[in-house]
Amino acid sequence: LPKGIPTKVDNGLLNNGCFLDALGVVPHVFLLFSTFPILFIGWGSQSSKVHIHHSTWLHFPGHNFRWLLTIVLLLVLVCEIAEGIVSDGFNQSRHLHLYMPAGLGILAAITSIVYYHNIETSNFPKLLIALLIYWTLAFITKTIKFAKYDDHGIGLRQLRFCITGLLALLYGLLLGVEVNVILRRRYMWFPCPTEVKPPDDLQDLGVRFQQPFVNLLSKSTYCWMNTFITSAHKRPIDLKTIGKLPISMRALTNFQRLRKAFDAQEKGPVPLKGSRWIWLALRQAFGRPLVLSITFRFIADLLGFVGPLCISGIVHHISSDNHSVKLLGVHFISSEAFLANAYVLAVLLFLALLLQRTFLQASYYVAIETGIKLRAAIQTKIYHKIMRLCTSNMSMGDMTTAQICSLVARDTNHLMWFFFLCPNLWAMPVQIVMGVLLLYSLLGVSALIGATVIVVLAPLQYFVATRLSRAQKSTLEHTGERLKKTNELLRGIKLLKLYTWEHIFRSSVEETRRQELRKLRTFALYTSLSIFMNAAIPIAAVLIIFAVHVHMHSATDFDLSPAVAFGSLSLFHILVTPLFLLSSVLHSTVKALVSVQKLSEFLGSTEIKIDQDPAVQTTATENNNSNIKSVVSSASCPSQPIVNGYFTWTQGCPTLTSIDIKVPFGQLTMIVGQVGCGKSSLLLAALGEMQKISGNITWKSLPKSDSEENVSILTACVFRKRGSVPYASQRPWLLNATVEENILFDMVPNEKRYKEVIEVCQLQPDIDTLPQGDQTVIGERGIILSGGQRQRISVARALYQQTNVVFLDDPFSALDIHLSDHLMHEGILKLLRQEKRTVVLVTHKLQYLPHADWVWAFNTVDLKGHPVCKPELFEQWRTLMNRQDKIGWCLVVFAESSTSTDEDSLRAELHHRTTIPWSSFATYLHAAGLLLLPLLVLSQLSKHSLMVAIDFWLAHWTSPGCCCAVLLSQVCEFSHSSYLQVFCGLCALGIVLCLVTSLAVEWTGLRVSRELHCSLLHTIVLAPMRLFETTPLGNILNRFSADTNTIDQHIPVTLECLSRSTLLCVSAVGVISYVTPLFLIALLPLAVACYFIQKYFRVASRDLQQLEDSTEMLLLSHYSQTIEGLTTIRAFRHEQRFKKKLLEHTDANNISSLFLMAANRWLEVRMEYIGAFVVLIAAVASISNTLCSQLSAGLVGLGLTYALMVSNYLNWIVRNLADMEVQLGCVKRVSGLIHTQPENYDGLMTPAQVPAGWPKYGEIQIKNLSVRYDSSLKPVLRHINSHIRPGKKVGICGRTGSGKSSFSLALFRMLDTIEGQIVIDGIDIAKLPLQTLRSKFSIILLSPVFLSFNLDPERKATDQMLWEALEIAQLMPVVKALPGGLDAMVTEGGENFSQGQRQLFCLARAFVRKSSILIMDEATASIDMATESILQKVVMTAFADRTVVTIAHRVHTILGSDVVIVMKHGAILEYNEPDVLLEQKDSVFSAFVRADK
């Protein structure tokens, strides 16, 4: 053979390059032949006895390090192949030994990691001996090769020398990892192998979030999500599908970590308070993962600069010559020559993109996971604070449920997103400095000028972002006010319709909406400016840079080549990104600071003094039959439980003064008194809910013998411990659960006792009407139940508990006489007395006083009581109160409404899996109008066409042919000026179009928001009552809150982003295809891959997003339920149970968020990888096309610059498409509600045709009337005939469900008339306009509804008339004591008034109106007898010449009526004067009267 060829072996085999390369093949062949049989045949017979359910268990030492070394090894081997191919290009013949061993090395490295993974998950480490031998042989061969290179003077200037040394180092490290596994696991050469148990998480079959357990490759690419994403296309994702959180991610784990951090701050040398205290605790608890995220971000940002440099190198070196050195019979190239090869740069660009996107997504994942953990910990801490919160904070308006829920929902999310954006605070300076330096190296001083322009404009961006934040905050204030008014309108819609005030309140909401829209217009303007600046600043900066560069260089040294132009353009895109993010990051930081300040104020709010958890708890695993434990012995405590007690709700004058009271064991104690005198407060004070100024409260154990009758259940001492006290509050509090769950309240199920309690509370008939019986979910606040049903379930819960003490606060207020008597005799006097339970009962029903063992009389000053066991006190009270007729409170039961469901509910939509709702998109665009829609489309198309034109002009300007022509021209300055002028014109027009586009998008969204909300509000106000009775209030309110907010603020931004990213992606693909038509061939498989990825992702993302929303709603509902029932929960001592439930809801929400975040990472990684392949294909095709057909270097740079951005565009298209699909669901729900059929407000007569002063006499004639609630339901009134003469007082009575309230609602046309008519003063009410009809009557409903305008929303009455009405209603002293008098504001729902006072306000409301017909529906149920007696006389006097219809359960209320109507099953059973009916001993009315005595 000729001298010098690679096969010459005169100086020994080891001195021949070909032999050295061949020697390196031996280890690879050994591994392939030794492992393939095991991989393909299997080893199932010798697997571990430990059973795991995931193939993800990592238990070999050095696992992550092994994977990292293997990935680096693969990258180095790729470089070795590339180096071999490039160096082989200098040979006249092909030499496979230069790159074939590296190819086998790649195959062996992949085999090694697959082999290792299978052995690891099978837990059979003995088979790792094959890898030990392989690493040893590979290390030896590479070391020999490296040594021989060194002997022949091959050094660091030759790339192959560096690669060989690096490979020897990697194989040595992998050998060390293998030896470490042997030493740690002791599976070879040791007598006792180390036993390893699987992690607790993997032993739990419910844990399906595998990210913490999978191998490094699966962690970085989220391959473990493949099955989850694809299976979502076949079946819906629910909580069962996603399983449970790993232990380290659960709310309890992270709360304990945060609590330790707070404790460490408190135990420091100087205990800190306020915001700084919270920030330090958060840093200590969650700071470490952020460091890892920041590190990943640094690496990703540095790798990001490889792209522009590679593009510049490819364009610059496309025709450069490479040089090599021949040693050891083969060619060696230097690193400079290797990197000068365009194909090498293309591969390097591809690998850099893969690594950069992987590290970037890893940084995102770690930051978001940390934020989710932090959110869970803070939410749990807030809940623990709520459990200790003083209830006066809510009742006095200092803190509302909405504020606390906002703290949970919004402020914790602000902190979560701050942690997500936190790495940007550290990464942005690095990006900016590196970008400016690289731009300077390409463009010189002009780059600094361009960067200066961007930096100068950055404060303007921050100013716009600040204004945007202020506009959003101001918008939220008006939104909150609008929602408050909307909530008030929806809660009081029945009263508003009956009083014809719905249009007044609608106008009030519309006025607030107009103010909100003005702020939204400002918000839209600043959003448009922000979008405009993000698009225009890069154009302006590029224009300035190139213009300055042209003017600073003469024609002879003009160097604006394609390499410089497009390399700097790519660098500029990287430089602009952190500057755009700056405003978002600063905005997020400000939000986080404000949120922490609010959190600090909340955590510092007043708490009640809670003793340690008692030894006895009422849980589902314990039977609470034992006695209440005492802290202090009976001998050391005074005989009275409250001694000289002074209690208050807020700082200031005490609410209860000089309280001295005792409650005997096993006896019935009743508390009576006037409205607002503090009866309910007394119970809450005993339960520790009020702030104690002075005095003592202590709970005492049961007496040891029956002789200790006078020993109290409560004894005196500050340090008290009490057990569970079943407490039925005056306002029933129910869980959003089944009827059975509400009654059991987590007690051990006892069928006998359960049936007994159901019978005592007469709940069985009501349960029978429910669709699923006692397994029916009653909804939020028991929305599907009537007031009486809610009251009885609340009492049943108290009776079911087997504790020694029961507190009942006015349990009869919503019950008729039969239910009240049955509950009193069978429940309290029989059931509880037989069990020797101590009962404290607050009531206004004085007929039950003879049954009391002790009675305490309460007045408005203090509590004075005397123990009475005789009925004399009852007679004394009967005389004192001048007990006459009481007006009852009707129990309305809509049996049909309990079966209602909300078809638009989020739960139903979770399983609604259709394609993109294009019909909703059409609805949205239709609402935009015919003017804005064409403007939006044309501006978008024109803008992106112009962007492409600008880049094409730049490619043409910087092409070598153009530059040569310029250099040969005698008028070169003019030629440059002409190019620059065109470039400036295009850029200026592009900037204008950016502004037009951003304004068009935001103004389109604004118009749609106005149109949809106006239509929705108009529809809801005019909708029939059936809609509100069958649809949960929360669902309707969500249309006005969450859905409207999405339409207002989110859809316009998503629409703009989706249209922009779609057009940019189309532009990029078009440009690349124009430059290199061969790209179209490769585009097809990439497009197919993109289609299936987005198809599967969209379905999974929609499910996960809706699941996250629904679990968040359940979480917030749990918070609001807890706040509303805080006194009941603490009375029952169920704090731990509700905390446990909170952890379940939090974990459910967090697992949904984590899966959604992992799905987003799954998508982005795959789209980024597809984008990297696009870049690789475009680069290789462009290089090949240039070499074959002399393609312009400017076009090559243009194509590569566009290809570099494709992955971002693809990500944003799919993400925004998924977001748009979810957001269009809001449009669909709103649109569905808009199509509700309204009430028929028109009549055959016009308002002008109605006689003035009608009805003048109040004569009511009902002829053969049959009505129903809905066309699909049965009639509730059947063939009613009645004649009520003018000025008569009519009483209507009957059992529950007999149709009494339906009778009154028929007068207002609230029900559908099947047949018959109602004639009032000679006019058929069906002919009257609905507004006119209802405005002529007055009604007092059974449930007191409190509004922001309570007495005179129409502003028709004078102040004197209002004071007169208040005086009649016995409220003048109360209102005069308020700051502002008649103009005083009331808290939400009138919480600063007692239940009785709220009913009195409803009476005053009717007195102000003074109609000729008044309907009273159990209007005095929560009023004491003295006040009731006065009011009865006033009604009889003030309405002496008017028709009064009184609906009553308690027939004594209507004994003084002119006529009594007894109803049964929707028909009139008896109709006559009360005296006549009483004389008939067999009449139903006389039976009612006898039962009421």
Side-chain angles (χ1 to χ4, degrees), residues 127 198 443 662 782 821 940 1097 1211 1253 1320:
L127 290 176
L443 294 173
K662 60 182 177 180
D821 283 348
Q940 288 278 14
F1097 169 79
N1211 267 328
I1320 299 179

Side-chain angles (χ1 to χ4, degrees), residues 1099-1133:
V1099 175
S1101 175
R1102 182 178 65 238
D1103 281 0
L1104 288 171
Q1105 202 161 346
Q1106 292 176 349
L1107 190 60
E1108 184 187 35
D1109 292 341
S1110 62
T1111 52
E1112 185 180 17
M1113 287 172 61
L1114 289 175
L1115 178 64
L1116 295 178
S1117 176
H1118 184 71
Y1119 274 93
S1120 61
Q1121 276 188 157
T1122 301
I1123 295 168
E1124 290 171 2
L1126 194 54
T1127 53
T1128 304
I1129 294 170
R1130 290 199 289 232
F1132 275 80
R1133 286 299 196 200

